[in-house]
Each structure stands twice: as structure tokens, then as C-alpha cells.
Amino acid sequence: MAPVTEHQGSFLSRISRRNQIVSMDVNHEQELEELEDFQKHVAERFTELLSPSNTTTTAADSPESDPILSIQWLRKLLDVFMSCESEFHSLLTSNSSQISKPPLDKLVPEMLDRIVKALDICTAVVNGVDLVRQIQRLAEIAVTALKQRPLSDGSVRRAKRALTSLLAALNADKNSVSSGRKTTTAEQWSSMGRRSGGGGEGCVSKNWSAAKQIQAMTANLVAPRGGESSPIYIMNSVMVVMMWTLVAAIPCQTSNGLTVHLPLPKNQVWASAAVSIHERIGEELKRKEKRCGGGGLMEEMQRMERIGLKMMEFSEGFRFNGEENVVEEVAEMEEICRKMEDGLEGLQRRVREVFHRLIKSRSEILEAIDHCNG
């Protein structure tokens, strides 16, 4: 074979560089396509949380039966997160060689830190569901007492005691301040969680705060320059939105101060529905914090409080000829208890699934980093 001349070498170098550029263009085009698909997936799944169901066949399955922050809606939210996380993980692992290179070399460690904080929040939420169960039991005691016929003074007293505890639990932050008790709200929730048998993946410390965890998760959540989104920024945002919503809905240890700004780009298609959800919950949260502080916006708990106040009013003014005045409220409270009985276990199970999915995802990301550095 004849030796390669200088001219031939120059020509081959140009061909090589051209092929590299073409390869880079193809890879970039593929990344843009994958990003577009991921954004579309996130947008569609979050839009489902705002849209009425198209498969309703009975009154029990109607959209009105799953309002925002209801138990069933929260279960759907967790399903949306799992679906988005699965799509994201496929994206990340398909480009695992880039995981230790800029900009992922900085973004990935931040995500791993958020996952650790999210695991703590999952633990607090699982324990919080146990506390909601205790509130449900108090409501059931009041319902049973006020369903007695003829309604006696003793039954009304039993109902009143249960309702007093129920309303105090629903407004724990307000009562812990106004009554001057030495025990903090965080300690109340923590000790009650231990008495209820836990059921979570562990315990958080007495000084732990769900609201502070959320604030820490949003602290360095910054959109990429140029207004473009990246898969890791989108997934971080999805994780923060979900954890914030869970803490707002379910009474967690020290959930005061949740009215934080979530830096979501309203102009991005993927974020539009998430922003709407955040704004709607945020307005309700502001009203709740002005009134008594803390989270606990679960739709069933909100209804339980309204009905409980009416039942308490009846109990305090009870006269033996007034039985029928509370029949409707008792029936509605009984229906809420039934929904909680049916839904809380499934909700708790979903949170545990998210907990274990996050652990697995974090381990696989760490393995990918070790492989790149090895």
C-alpha cells in the first residue's frame, strides 16, 4: 500500500472531523427528541390530575368523588410521580456516560441530596397517615354515640369527648400554642406516631421539620440558563411538587411554613399543570395557616372538621327532643370514615412504594457514577 501523503492525511482529518460533527449533531438531535418526549409525558400526567375522568360510569366513580387533595387524588399523584420517575430513569441511564461530566456532574449530586430529604418526608408522611387513622377512630366513636336511639345524655357526652379530641387533633398547631402546653406539636405527632405502631420506614428526630426539608429541597432548584429545561431539572421539580403536596395534605411533624415559592417556569408546557396545582393548593394553605397553622389539607380531613364543628355545636346544646337535628351530619361523617377506611391503607402503601423506588434509583445512580469514574 502506498504511503499516505500530506494531502491525503489532511483530507482524512477533514473527513474524521466531519463525521464527529455529524455524530454530535445526531446525538444532540436525539437528546432534544428525548427531552421533548419527557416533557410531553410529564405534562400529560399532571394534566390528568386536573382533568375529569373520561371513564366514569357510576356516581361513586365521578370526578367529584376525587377532588384535589382527596385520598384517591393523592394516590393518583403518587402514580404520576412513579410514572415520571420511570421515564426519567430510562433517560438518565441511557446517557450514563455523561453522568460525571458537566453539567450533570453538579446536578446529579444535588438530586441525590434531594432524594435523601424526600426519603425523610416519605417517612413522616407514612407516620402522618397513621395519625389520620387515629382521627378517623375518634370520628367513628362520635358517630356511634350519636346514632344511639333513643339518644341519651351519656351518649352525647361520649360523642362530645371524642369530638373535642378530634377537633384538637385537626388543629394541633393552634391548640398547642393557645393552651400553653409545654409539649411541642412536633413532639405530639412524634409520640403519637410511636404509639400507633409507626408503620413507616423509621422515625425522624424531634427537631426534624417537614417544612424545612421542603425549603431545603427548593433552595438550589434553579432553571437551566437560556430558559431551556433539562430532564434532571424537570424531575427535581416534579419531586419537589409531589413532596410539598404530600406535606400540605397530610399532617406531618412541623409543617408550618409551607407557603414557599416553587420556582416552576409557567411558560414551559411540562410545568403548566403543576403550576396550577401548586397555586390552588397554595391558596388553601394560606387560609389554613392564617386560621390555625400547619398542613393537613386532605379533603376528607377538611370536611371532617366542618362536620365535627356542627356535631360539637349540637352536643353542647343537646336537648332530649333534638335527635333529628344531627342525623344528616352523622351520616356524612360516617361516609367520610368509610372513605378513609377504604383509602388510607392504599395511600400509605403507595408512599412506601415511592420510598423504595427512590432508594433503588439513588443506588443505581451511584453505581453509574462509580462505573464512569472507575
Side-chain angles (χ1 to χ4, degrees), residues 323-371:
E323 294 176 0
E324 299 304 317
N325 293 340
V326 78
V327 170
E328 186 177 332
E329 286 77 10
V330 169
E332 191 171 351
M333 185 70 88
E334 189 172 29
E335 174 62 16
I336 295 171
C337 289
R338 186 192 65 77
K339 284 190 174 183
M340 285 185 167
E341 188 67 32
D342 293 342
L344 286 176
E345 183 179 351
L347 175 61
Q348 199 173 53
R349 185 166 58 249
R350 287 283 206 289
V351 176
R352 287 199 186 100
E353 289 172 2
V354 167
F355 180 93
H356 291 294
R357 172 71 70 85
L358 288 171
I359 288 178
K360 182 180 179 183
S361 179
R362 188 172 187 275
S363 297
E364 291 177 350
I365 292 173
L366 287 171
E367 286 178 9
I369 293 173
D370 288 342
H371 181 73

Side-chain angles (χ1 to χ4, degrees), residues 260-276:
V260 295
H261 170 66
L262 298 186
L264 300 175
K266 293 184 179 181
N267 60 323
Q268 296 283 339
V269 174
W270 67 267
S272 179
V275 169
S276 296

Side-chain angles (χ1 to χ4, degrees), residues 3 24 35 52 58 84 98 103 143 148 153 163 197 200 212 240 262 265 289 298 302 317 330 340 352 374:
M24 288 171 63
L35 173 60
T58 66
C84 293
Q98 304 297 315
V143 165
Q148 298 298 315
D153 196 38
L163 289 167
K212 287 182 179 178
V240 170
L262 298 186
E289 289 196 341
M298 183 185 289
Q302 298 276 69
V330 169
M340 285 185 167
R352 287 199 186 100

Side-chain angles (χ1 to χ4, degrees), residues 31-291:
E31 287 177 5
L32 289 177
E33 186 177 336
E34 290 175 346
L35 173 60
E36 185 177 348
D37 289 343
F38 182 53
Q39 290 184 89
K40 184 179 179 182
H41 181 82
V42 172
E44 289 176 349
R45 294 311 311 267
F46 270 90
T47 300
E48 289 171 10
L49 294 171
L50 290 172
S51 304
S53 171
N54 295 319
T55 58
T56 55
T57 54
T58 66
D61 295 324
S62 66
E64 290 77 12
S65 67
D66 294 334
I68 192 167
L69 292 180
S70 66
I71 294 172
Q72 292 302 323
W73 186 90
L74 291 170
R75 289 174 64 172
K76 291 176 182 177
L77 173 70
L78 292 165
D79 288 343
V80 166
F81 174 79
M82 295 280 269
S83 174
C84 293
E85 201 280 335
S86 179
E87 287 289 314
F88 167 76
H89 194 68
S90 297
L91 260 178
L92 192 64
T93 52
S94 67
N95 297 293
S96 59
S97 61
Q98 304 297 315
I99 208 165
S100 60
K101 300 176 182 178
L104 293 186
D105 60 333
K106 180 181 178 182
L107 297 177
V108 169
E110 290 177 357
M111 183 174 207
L112 293 174
D113 182 63
R114 282 194 186 90
I115 290 176
V116 172
K117 291 178 171 61
L119 292 173
D120 280 344
I121 290 173
C122 286
T123 297
V125 168
V126 168
N127 292 334
V129 173
D130 281 332
L131 303 175
V132 177
R133 280 204 186 98
Q134 291 189 37
I135 293 171
Q136 173 198 337
R137 301 292 179 251
L138 292 169
E140 289 171 346
I141 292 170
V143 165
T144 301
L146 292 179
K147 283 180 70 176
Q148 298 298 315
R149 293 295 181 271
L151 191 57
S152 67
D153 196 38
S155 295
V156 173
R157 282 199 301 270
R158 282 196 299 276
K160 188 176 179 180
R161 284 195 298 270
L163 289 167
T164 299
S165 297
L166 180 147
L167 293 171
L170 289 170
N171 295 283
D173 293 280
K174 177 182 178 181
N175 285 280
S176 63
V177 173
S178 62
S179 65
R181 289 182 298 210
K182 294 182 179 179
T183 306
T184 66
T185 304
E187 289 170 339
Q188 290 170 16
W189 287 120
S190 181
S191 62
M192 286 175 69
R194 286 193 294 270
R195 288 200 301 272
S196 67
E201 311 307 325
C203 296
V204 292
S205 69
K206 290 182 179 181
N207 296 325
W208 186 88
S209 165
K212 287 182 179 178
Q213 290 290 87
I214 296 294
Q215 291 165 10
M217 291 177 75
T218 61
N220 58 351
L221 185 61
V222 181
R225 292 179 181 178
E228 294 184 2
S229 290
S230 68
I232 197 164
Y233 168 71
I234 294 172
M235 195 61 223
N236 273 322
S237 300
V238 169
M239 188 183 346
V240 170
V241 169
M242 189 199 69
M243 293 299 164
W244 177 83
T245 303
L246 288 176
V247 173
I250 299 167
C252 293
Q253 183 172 305
T254 317
S255 54
N256 276 339
L258 278 175
T259 50
V260 295
H261 170 66
L262 298 186
L264 300 175
K266 293 184 179 181
N267 60 323
Q268 296 283 339
V269 174
W270 67 267
S272 179
V275 169
S276 296
I277 291 170
H278 174 247
E279 289 177 346
R280 286 175 60 175
I281 297 173
E283 288 302 313
E284 186 62 33
L285 193 60
K286 287 177 184 177
R287 287 192 288 269
K288 178 78 184 285
E289 289 196 341
K290 284 181 180 179
R291 185 162 53 88

